[in-house]
Amino acid sequence: MAGDDPHPGFCLRQFMLFRVQNCVHWAFYLAYLLLSIWFGPSARAQYRSDVWTADNGLPQNVIRSIRQTNDGYLWIATFDGLARFDGMHFTIFNKSNTPGMASNRFGSMYKDQRGDLWLTTEAGGVTRYHNGTFRTFGQREGIPGNIVLGLTGDDTGHVWILTSEAIAEWNEAAGRFIDAGPKSSGARYQPFAWENRGFWSTGKDSLQCFINGRFVTYALPSWLPGNSIWGAAREGTGIIWIETSNGAHARIAQDGKVTGPFGHILTTSYIDHRGHPWTLQIGPRLTRSLAYSSGGNIVTIPFHSIQEDSERNLWLGSEGQGLYRLQQESVRVYSKEQGLIDRNVYPIYQDHEGAVWIGVWYSGLSRFYKGKFTSFTLSNLPNARLATAILEDRNGILWVATHGGLWVHQGNRFRRAMGLLLPDGAIVQDIYEDSRGTLWFGTSRGLVSFKGGVTKVFSVSDGLAVDDVRVIAESKAGDLWIGGYGGLTRIQNGRFTHWTDSNVLPSNNIRSIYIDSDDVVWIGTYDGGLGRFDGERFTRYSTREGLFNNGVFQILEDGQGNLWMSCNRGIYRVSKRELNDFAAGKRGMIKSVPYGKVDGMLNVECNGGLWPAGTKTNDGMLWFPTQDGVAVINPLAVSTNPEPPPVVIESFTIDRASVALDTPIRVAPGKENVEVQYTALSFIKSDQIHFRYKLEGLDSTWIDAGSRRTAYYSHVRPGKYLFHVIAGNSDGIWNNEGKTLEITFLAPFYQTWWFELLMLLAIGMLFLITWRYRMMQVERANAVHQSFSRQLIASQENERKRIAAELHDSLGQRMIVIKNLAHFLLKSSKQNANGRDVQTLEEISGEAAAAINETREISYNLRPFQLDRLGLTKAIEAMVRTVSAASGIHFSSDIDNIDDVFPEDLRINFYRIVQESLNNIMKHSQATEASIQVKRDGLSVMMTIRDNGCGFSPTEKPSQPPTNGFGLTGISERTSLLGGDFKVRSTLGRGTVMTIEIRRKGDSHE
């Protein structure tokens, strides 16, 4: 057991053998390290590590276990909480903020086949993470003694725990742990030291193990008694490592064979899912360290737990140094530590032998050949500390330009170039040899050609866009393209054409020109992005179109159709097919893939402006100058991430208050600001994951959020919406399905449908009340008007009746008396009166008779006596006969008996209507024929009066008001008093039809 003395059988010979093996092992391990360092830059894959500690998000630096759940999150168990990691941010779960947790100090963590996490804590019991919630189980759930020492499981979903008293298995159906230990064994088990791979115990001469639900016993040799074993660990391959109490190690293979003892430092391998073997060192107390090559050096990281995620990143949890992630470097850097003369690199060139010449600022030149650097400093290259351009001509002469002039390298030595005359003070920034063998020198004071010992200088006055020439290139047709800080120039058959940014270029600060196999000219600028010229038109690309950066210091093409470019923020590649499609209008955006420190660069700031600002070597490697060494990329070895990143909506807040995502999201009225936190679970360049989102129903297009992981909305109108977020990884692979979240923004009560309905009803009721009130007012006004009209007409009729009676009874009688007296006197005067008196009496009698007739006519008009004596029907018939006889108009009549239809006081109104109508015909119609028809039924009386006269327009007022009666207005008024409807239909020249319909208020009395 731990702490016991070795078995007495552990003899001196075995101990000496142990020491010899230990020494041999140490010698082998040192040789391995030396060989790794020596051949590291060229023979081994290079890796780099990133580390997270409590300073940048971890709750604590002691990490007990790392696991990745099925949703893609990485979970880290520490001594101060459980951390969930999405590649950018940690979310901390502990007992203060998470229901179901009993402690913050976690001892181990196991993930079962269902994806649940099981954790042990110092507080006892076991905590389970299941379906997004935590729960801690204790003695009530079957855990003996409540102290859990270890966890393990198998591939079929079983989970076992180890307590000080027993081994128990989780029973999902029962919701508790069931004792699974051997009966009466008496063994006291301990957990294996690595990754929860089972439990172990010792007998006198055996190692008893509980692995994948089975009890396995391994026989131990005599030199390894059971009570000498201090600890045991089990690899994923099934190999078991043993350490004795005196520090010796032994190994049990899968077939049970035991080998050892070994020294304190052992090595084993961890084979990842790519098949890459990682070297693991096993130290005292079965501690482990991982050794890997980085930058040509061997780096060692001690760790407690190891986990490979779904994207093949390797994660290490340390015992106090935090969380490590190891990724293969896409960029290899050669800097001062690898043999470069200094760090700040500018021109890079490969000669015909395959040697790479590197101009290092302030220090001279370095030559890299067959994995070794050779440097040329001030002592062997005078005034050449500032190298500005490098070229090997077709004769094998290497030209090197410096601030001290031009140099050539021949016979393994440098000498100053002769015969070439440069402008005074000119610094050569590019050297180029065209297809005709002419050497061209781009200088700070113009363009210089040199051939056959003849030097020519060209400047702005000759047609150059600028005298500050930085880059020269030649097309298949033999055109020279010259770029510099001022614009772009083409020399075609001796003719100069130039462009500046004022018309077509992305910028006039030209730093690079590349002409591809299709003779397309690619123009890189310092600050305006990339340009493309296909012989007819220019196309510009910048960050707006998807370029990583607007700096393009060098353009190199790999064998897979990608353009690689450098800038102040690193190196990036773009598919040339995408660039061409954009130029053809087939796509609206391009995708750039950047490379920086996370890929192995020591300094992301690349250099340019001195030529060549990078080169593609014969083996297809791309070399770029940086502020700290040369960045070398093998395009064929660059790993890409083909998997779209899983998208997760993490939280939803309303006015900064969190809302549970497992219930429908409802935003109450008055809550104006909502935030949606989302993420994408990719651990490869997590900071370069790109997001787009939209609130369907509000946003018409996708909102490009870049790397931002929060969506903000405020003052959203009420309604149901669907929030949709998608993500693309650093290689431009998009998860277009993404995640969605239904959100309902509730309306305030005054915007709800029921409130609007109530308001409509209220408005309707108000309108109805107002309309009813107005109708009542109209009805009252009509009643008042009708009452007034009725009283007026009644008073008129009464007055007419009184006047008629007085005319008839008083004046009429007096006139009769006068007539009779005159007649009497006339009779008596004929005998004895003279002729004049007789004539006078006759005149008096005649006038009295005329006055009687007029009085009777007036009296009749005021009150027809037939109405009272004969009834309404006969009175109307008599009036028709009288009018027909007096007017000469032929009247026909068809009149039902209507004597009992109207009350006595209203009969005169109907009579007056007929009277006024006949008067109108007689006076105005100029008719020759007319008719009157009066029909009655049980409900109404219908009167129709027609004539064939001249007619009139009902809308026109008569030229003169009627002298008698009320005219049409009077007829309408009297009809209204009778409760009837009055209609007139007349056409000029075609007569008039007047219709009156009077609805009866009671049954007839026929």
Side-chain angles (χ1 to χ4, degrees), residues 95-150:
K95 70 176 186 178
S96 66
N97 63 16
T98 306
M101 280 192 173
S103 174
N104 294 347
R105 290 178 64 86
F106 294 99
S108 62
M109 177 168 59
Y110 175 77
K111 190 188 84 166
D112 65 20
Q113 289 299 107
R114 292 181 292 267
D116 293 350
L117 296 178
W118 299 82
L119 303 106
T120 63
T121 69
E122 290 185 357
V126 60
T127 300
R128 182 191 189 189
Y129 178 71
H130 174 69
N131 290 338
T133 60
F134 292 89
R135 181 183 176 187
T136 298
F137 303 109
Q139 289 179 312
R140 288 174 32 176
E141 288 79 22
I143 298 179
N146 200 41
I147 301 301
V148 180
L149 303 176

Side-chain angles (χ1 to χ4, degrees), residues 460 463-471 481-490 497-503 505 507-513 523-525:
V460 172
L464 283 176
V466 63
D467 287 337
D468 186 7
V469 176
R470 299 280 176 159
V471 58
W481 291 82
I482 299 97
Y485 282 8
L488 179 69
T489 305
R490 180 180 64 187
T497 306
H498 67 261
W499 298 268
T500 66
D501 65 343
S502 61
N503 40 35
L505 294 179
S507 167
N508 64 354
N509 296 325
I510 309 298
R511 274 211 166 183
S512 58
I513 299 174
I523 306 109
T525 70

Side-chain angles (χ1 to χ4, degrees), residues 816-836:
I816 291 174
V817 171
I818 293 173
K819 179 182 177 183
N820 291 335
L821 290 176
H823 184 70
F824 176 76
L825 290 176
L826 181 61
K827 284 182 178 182
S828 60
S829 297
K830 286 183 178 180
Q831 298 177 358
N832 49 21
N834 57 32
R836 183 173 180 85

Side-chain angles (χ1 to χ4, degrees), residues 548-617:
F548 169 69
N549 189 263
N550 284 334
V552 183
F553 302 166
Q554 173 61 298
I555 307 170
L556 301 176
E557 184 175 2
D558 64 19
Q560 290 73 50
N562 297 308
L563 296 184
W564 294 75
M565 291 164 274
S566 57
C567 66
N568 279 324
R569 291 180 55 201
I571 301 166
Y572 58 100
R573 65 176 169 88
V574 182
S575 167
K576 195 168 73 169
R577 178 180 56 82
E578 289 190 12
L579 293 169
N580 290 333
D581 286 348
F582 180 90
K586 297 179 180 179
R587 63 185 304 134
M589 293 289 290
I590 58 174
K591 171 63 181 177
S592 301
V593 181
Y595 297 85
K597 283 192 173 183
V598 71
D599 302 288
M601 294 185 70
L602 298 179
N603 190 317
V604 297
E605 185 176 346
C606 295
N607 290 326
L610 301 176
W611 206 254
T615 190
K616 178 181 177 181
T617 54

